[in-house]
Amino acid sequence: MPPMSNIVLATDGSAFSDAAARFLADGKLLQSGFTVHVLHVSPDVTGQVRAFVNKETIDAWHNEASEKAMASVCAILEGAGIPFECHALHGYPPEKILGHAKSVNAAAIVMGTHGRGSFFDAVLGSVAGRVLAQADCPVVMVKAADKDKPTA
């Protein structure tokens, strides 16, 4: 039996991330034998917040934010019968996504992309752009279909 392959699906809880999950659920990338590692990265809180809020409260906030952000993506994968694991992380998102991908020897990183802003912002300034520029494995950017995009 070949070793299990891993794919990292980074989510921010948006319709763009849901589109990336549907891309995987529709079998456009996956073959059998993959496990999807769903990641959500909450930003670190500032030192000022840490001075007034205890660690347990901050950890609970991180976990709650990640659970909400990952819920719809996990439901899509579960509905498609795709094995997945959820990982609530906090810190600098590109660094955490790349670090987790490396730690599980990911075959690919899949991300939804907003595709907004100038070329510079879209490619160099965004989390997706930074992951794309620094990843050791293929990165698949999935843009939501117009019908999936949230209205302003």
Side-chain angles (χ1 to χ4, degrees):
M1 182 174 184
M4 188 69 85
S5 295
N6 296 303
I7 290 181
V8 168
L9 172 58
T11 180
D12 61 2
S14 71
F16 301 97
S17 297
D18 290 352
R22 279 192 292 279
F23 175 82
L24 293 175
D26 292 344
K28 294 178 180 168
L29 179 67
L30 288 176
Q31 298 172 350
S32 62
F34 280 87
T35 297
V36 177
H37 290 258
V38 178
L39 303 184
H40 176 261
V41 184
S42 301
D44 276 329
V45 296
T46 65
Q48 291 174 322
V49 171
R50 275 195 213 96
F52 296 102
V53 180
N54 66 37
K55 181 181 180 331
E56 292 76 21
T57 302
I58 293 170
D59 288 347
W61 174 80
H62 281 302
N63 289 336
E64 183 178 337
S66 287
E67 284 176 20
K68 285 181 184 176
M70 292 187 286
S72 62
V73 163
C74 292
I76 291 166
L77 295 174
E78 186 172 21
I82 295 172
F84 65 92
E85 298 175 10
C86 293
H87 304 276
L89 308 173
H90 63 273
Y92 181 58
E95 179 182 291
K96 294 295 180 175
I97 293 165
L98 292 164
H100 191 84
K102 189 171 260 189
S103 76
V104 299
N105 196 24
I109 298 170
V110 178
M111 302 177 75
T113 181
H114 296 240
R116 61 178 180 229
S118 70
F119 177 80
F120 180 80
D121 290 340
V123 175
L124 301 176
S126 69
V127 171
R130 291 178 189 274
V131 169
L132 181 63
Q134 299 174 17
D136 293 332
C137 63
V139 178
V140 179
M141 301 289 185
V142 179
K143 194 167 182 181
D146 286 337
K147 67 178 178 58
D148 295 329
K149 290 181 184 173
T151 54

